[in-house]
């Protein structure tokens, strides 16, 4: 009985501290990162390719779970153009779990869910790396995959 009580107390104290570690309160820099990621998603919802690309660094590389290899910035543009033709989002939700900022580089880990205009629903998780350039956060690269199924790795 004593060990059960101790176990319960340990769990009670661990859970709140774990939640705080995953950013219940974001720093001003973390909030800037969140705003940048949200702006990209909002531009995607609006179908505004130029606004999306303005938030991406020229050396940006992104690897979608639907692709066998990473894409450079021009291929990212093409992917967004084709995706918007196929299934432009009508609504989305982003849930941020961890954002780490070191000097002018940030990693943002989040999950997403969106409903497309054609009725398709997508759920996934993403890691986005951003770099601060001229006092502005730019998407420098990332990795995203579906939470539903994974394609096999090409090796």
């Amino acid at each position: 009985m004593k060990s059960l009580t101790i176990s319960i107390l340990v769990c009670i104290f661990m859970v709140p501290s774990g939640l705080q570690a995953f950013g219940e309160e974001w720093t001003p820099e973390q909030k800037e990162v969140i705003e940048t990621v949200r702006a990209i998603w909002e531009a995607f919802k609006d179908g505004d390719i130029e606004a999306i690309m303005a938030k991406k660094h020229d050396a940006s590389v992104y690897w979608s779970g639907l692709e066998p290899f990473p894409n450079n910035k021009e291929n990212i543009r093409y992917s967004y153009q084709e995706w918007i033709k196929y299934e432009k989002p009508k609504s989305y939700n982003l849930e941020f779990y961890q954002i780490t900022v070191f000097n002018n580089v940030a990693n943002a880990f989040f999950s997403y869910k969106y409903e497309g205009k054609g009725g398709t629903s997508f759920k996934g998780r993403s890691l986005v790396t951003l770099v601060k350039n001229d006092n502005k956060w730019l998407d420098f690269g990332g990795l995203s995959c579906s939470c539903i199924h994974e394609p096999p790795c090409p090796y």
Side-chain angles (χ1 to χ4, degrees), residues 73-121:
K73 189 173 179 179
E74 282 312 307
N75 288 337
I76 294 168
R77 174 189 296 276
Y78 177 77
S79 292
Y80 272 111
Q81 289 168 337
E82 293 304 307
W83 201 354
I84 286 171
K85 287 180 196 175
Y86 166 71
E87 191 67 63
K88 182 177 159 187
K90 68 178 181 180
S91 66
Y92 66 89
N93 185 44
L94 307 178
E95 183 73 31
F96 290 87
Y97 299 108
Q98 184 73 39
I99 299 170
T100 305
V101 178
F102 181 74
N103 295 330
N104 69 329
V105 177
N107 281 327
F109 295 86
F110 62 96
S111 62
Y112 58 88
K113 178 181 178 182
Y114 82 84
E115 302 290 327
K117 294 214 184 266
T120 305
S121 176

Side-chain angles (χ1 to χ4, degrees), residues 131-150:
V131 62
K132 199 166 198 178
N133 193 13
D134 294 328
N135 211 26
K136 182 170 105 174
W137 287 104
L138 297 173
D139 183 339
F140 189 70
L143 176 66
S144 181
C145 64
S146 168
C147 289
I148 299 168
H149 55 78
E150 303 291 320

